Amino acid sequence: MNDKKTMEQIISYAKRRGFVFQGSEIYGGMAGVYDFGPYGVELLNNIKKSWWRANVQLRSDYYGLDSAMFKHPQVWEASGHTSGFSDPMSECKSCNTRLRVDKALEKVGVAADEKMSEDEINKLFDDNKSKIKCTKCGNSDFTPAKAFNLLVKSNLGDFTNKGESPVYLPGEACQGIYLNFKNVVDSMHPKIPFGIAQINKAFRNEISPRNFLFRTREFEQADTQYFVRPEENKEAFEKIKEDRWSWYVNDLGINPENMRWKQHDNLVFYAKDAWDIEYNYPTYGFDEVEGIHDRSDYDLSVHSKASGVDLSYVDQVAGEKYIPWILETSMGLGRIFLAILSDAYTVEEMDGAERTVLKLSPELAPVKVAVLPLLKNKPELVEKAKEVFTMLNKVMVSEYAETGTVGKRYRKQDEIGTPHCVTIDFDTLEDDTVTLRDRDSGEQKRVKIAELLNGLA
Ligand code: GAP
């Protein structure tokens, strides 16, 4: 469990060890924007690789996609985002700090339903204002809540609609899948049920970005949309839930005690069911990593109507034509990255000293093996170590490290989660064997260089 870890530890560790940096830090930073550093981008890419393998490459019923971020302005009108994609916002009357009202109410134990009108939210807000404090000045005097649209506008020159409505950055990644449904059907001729998967960026004008990578203004989503025959949704939905849970536990190696399911109480009007996979983040507690939604025929119906292009599926087997229903999975890459880091981050004792170790599965580790010459001032050791490093680096991401004592170099590799270290010493020069050290147990054994790859597999 994560009770003994704090998010402060994770944030400072992530910066110190080159995983995550504040966006535009040298200019004072930007709220809700983060950059992934040298080890962070390796971990992020490994998460994406694992997700893509499980959801596209190992599935004969799923197709991959990478759609453009800029989309015709009508997309966001048809999807309902220009009118309904908003959060209730208020401002502190003393210092103008913005407040997301539903989240502020939640903090004082009052649940605001997503479907509530502005008047209903304001009634709740008025009744509970005295318990809510401005995060900056501590006052409790706020303007009434107003719906604040989360779409981010771009100034892309748009000649398709004569500049009548702006070209937005994507508020969610899945729209690109709906736009390409017909292209995939016409080019790949899939049999229903089938899915389309993609990883893409999303941008939201979050009122109060918070909790490090958890709520940001720019993030990536890994989405699948599974198309089924109308009302043949239930069994497929349960199977998708099972597959998703299994990926977290069996592929990523996340401790299932730190995960749980949460079903939505208040569904949007077109949804038939919605569940979240939650993770128990240090300090913040359980919160959503991924949403699994039964969206009925809503998305393809609204885009059929607005575009005038028939997005029905012709079911040759059943001899029918219909708009498929959609089962969606949508995972925030920043949130799963933070969950993985939190789960793997461990401070423990080894050989009578405290060490920090990132217990990542080898598949996720940014560096798979580090090669260390015992001494850096012995050219013959350095030369042999570089030779072994070059050999290993052709097959897996490897790191060469020669500075500091071997013990210190082991500790640094433990901290970034490197599963194995290979040390080149004087015996190596005699018999072509090396010391192979295991990150988790600290155990060391002698291995022939020729057999190293088997030992690392
Ligand atoms: N297409 C459905 C959709 O976008 P969502 O619940 O708004 O649904 C899906 O988002 C996932 O995207 C969430 O479970 C979360 O992991 C991630 N996400 C949403 N807003 C985010 C934000 N501001 N920062 C980071 N991740 C976010």
Side-chain angles (χ1 to χ4, degrees):
M1 296 294 277
N2 283 341
D3 305 347
K4 294 203 179 84
K5 305 173 192 174
T6 67
M7 194 46 80
E8 214 172 295
Q9 275 175 318
I10 307 285
I11 294 170
S12 112
Y13 158 82
K15 180 173 182 192
R16 195 174 68 247
R17 281 297 172 212
F19 282 86
V20 184
F21 307 128
Q22 177 69 59
S24 310
E25 194 177 5
I26 61 167
Y27 287 99
M30 273 189 89
V33 181
Y34 289 92
D35 299 334
F36 290 90
Y39 292 129
V41 67
E42 293 291 341
L43 173 55
L44 188 66
N45 284 342
N46 291 340
I47 299 170
K48 289 187 203 174
K49 238 186 268 170
S50 168
W51 186 90
W52 194 258
R53 185 107 189 101
N55 289 286
V56 182
Q57 292 169 338
L58 291 177
R59 296 291 302 249
S60 54
D61 54 344
Y62 275 80
Y63 299 85
L65 182 77
D66 187 4
S67 65
M69 266 186 272
F70 288 125
K71 293 174 173 69
H72 194 288
Q74 269 179 271
V75 171
W76 304 107
E77 300 278 347
S79 65
H81 282 76
T82 49
S83 55
F85 189 48
S86 58
D87 286 330
M89 186 187 79
S90 160
E91 265 184 28
C92 169
K93 283 188 184 164
S94 311
C95 69
N96 300 109
T97 296
R98 286 172 167 188
L99 175 87
R100 188 169 150 185
V101 174
D102 55 334
K103 292 289 166 197
L105 284 167
E106 216 174 273
K107 266 197 185 159
V108 296
V110 180
D113 184 333
E114 272 177 35
K115 286 182 286 190
M116 277 181 173
S117 68
E118 218 163 80
D119 285 349
E120 286 167 326
I121 287 263
N122 271 313
K123 167 96 181 52
L124 268 190
F125 192 30
D126 285 341
D127 291 347
N128 293 282
K129 251 181 202 165
S130 58
K131 290 184 255 167
I132 298 171
K133 303 260 173 280
C134 169
T135 49
K136 194 167 172 199
C137 69
N139 281 342
S140 296
D141 198 8
F142 300 100
T143 61
K146 275 209 167 99
F148 178 77
N149 194 283
L150 301 183
L151 282 179
V152 176
K153 281 180 197 162
S154 81
N155 74 342
L156 185 78
D158 172 38
F159 308 106
T160 50
N161 76 338
K162 302 183 189 72
E164 278 160 17
S165 41
V167 177
Y168 293 100
L169 296 178
E172 58 177 5
C174 60
Q175 294 299 326
I177 295 183
Y178 310 143
L179 299 184
N180 284 286
F181 168 78
K182 187 168 162 25
N183 286 331
V184 172
V185 168
D186 291 349
S187 58
M188 309 304 288
H189 312 291
K191 284 206 174 60
I192 214 156
F194 70 94
I196 304 179
Q198 82 163 340
I199 298 175
N200 221 328
K201 285 232 170 179
F203 300 83
R204 294 183 189 177
N205 241 326
E206 293 287 351
I207 296 164
S208 44
R210 65 182 172 94
N211 298 357
F212 193 35
L213 298 175
F214 185 83
R215 190 171 301 288
T216 53
R217 289 182 168 141
E218 173 180 343
F219 54 98
E220 276 184 297
Q221 290 178 318
D223 276 15
T224 65
Q225 310 287 319
Y226 200 59
F227 302 92
V228 300
R229 286 169 58 83
E231 316 237 15
E232 287 193 353
N233 50 340
K234 290 223 157 53
E235 208 177 308
F237 193 75
E238 287 313 311
K239 179 73 178 73
I240 286 171
K241 279 178 62 195
E242 258 172 49
D243 289 348
R244 294 306 301 134
W245 185 270
S246 162
W247 180 73
Y248 283 79
V249 176
N250 299 317
D251 292 31
L252 300 184
I254 290 190
N255 179 355
E257 284 182 32
N258 285 327
M259 291 167 51
R260 71 178 186 197
W261 283 109
K262 184 179 172 199
Q263 187 172 22
H264 289 212
D265 298 326
N266 304 305
L267 294 171
V268 280
F269 70 93
Y270 56 81
K272 297 293 170 210
D273 202 0
W275 290 76
D276 292 338
I277 292 181
E278 294 192 332
Y279 180 78
N280 186 18
Y281 292 99
T283 309
Y284 312 151
F286 277 100
D287 217 330
E288 174 184 351
V289 185
E290 165 161 353
I292 298 164
H293 312 128
D294 182 340
R295 302 179 64 111
S296 71
D297 63 353
Y298 175 76
D299 305 284
L300 293 180
S301 298
V302 294
H303 285 304
S304 275
K305 195 162 165 229
S307 66
V309 175
D310 185 1
L311 298 179
S312 304
Y313 176 84
V314 179
D315 193 333
Q316 307 283 6
V317 179
E320 288 168 8
K321 186 179 168 194
Y322 50 80
I323 297 271
W325 280 30
I326 292 179
L327 309 176
E328 169 183 72
T329 71
S330 184
M331 176 187 76
L333 260 305
R335 291 193 189 180
I336 186 60
F337 182 100
L338 188 55
I340 288 170
L341 219 54
S342 305
D343 222 61
Y345 179 87
T346 309
V347 179
E348 64 180 18
E349 259 206 18
M350 182 176 263
D351 303 330
E354 191 179 271
R355 71 160 183 169
T356 300
V357 51
L358 204 59
K359 294 192 172 176
L360 290 173
S361 73
E363 198 191 350
L364 294 180
V367 175
K368 310 299 180 198
V369 59
V371 182
L372 328 169
L374 183 65
L375 298 166
K376 76 168 177 183
N377 57 0
K378 297 286 174 202
E380 59 275 36
L381 293 183
V382 167
E383 193 186 330
K384 190 72 184 169
K386 286 189 175 164
E387 199 183 290
V388 173
F389 162 74
T390 305
M391 175 190 91
L392 293 176
N393 200 32
K394 283 187 184 142
V395 186
M396 61 188 76
V397 180
S398 311
E399 197 166 271
Y400 171 80
E402 61 176 24
T403 308
T405 65
V406 167
K408 277 203 177 131
R409 280 179 272 165
Y410 284 159
R411 291 288 180 266
K412 192 230 155 171
Q413 294 300 329
D414 289 346
E415 272 205 71
I416 62 164
T418 308
H420 292 103
C421 287
V422 167
T423 306
I424 311 295
D425 56 23
F426 292 104
D427 287 344
T428 313
L429 306 177
E430 300 295 317
D431 60 8
D432 256 359
T433 63
V434 294
T435 302
L436 181 64
R437 175 185 179 270
D438 177 77
R439 176 195 69 199
D440 295 339
S441 63
E443 264 172 31
Q444 303 185 9
K445 58 182 178 189
R446 271 329 263 192
V447 178
K448 281 256 178 219
I449 291 177
E451 287 160 19
L452 247 186
L453 285 175
N454 297 338
L456 294 172

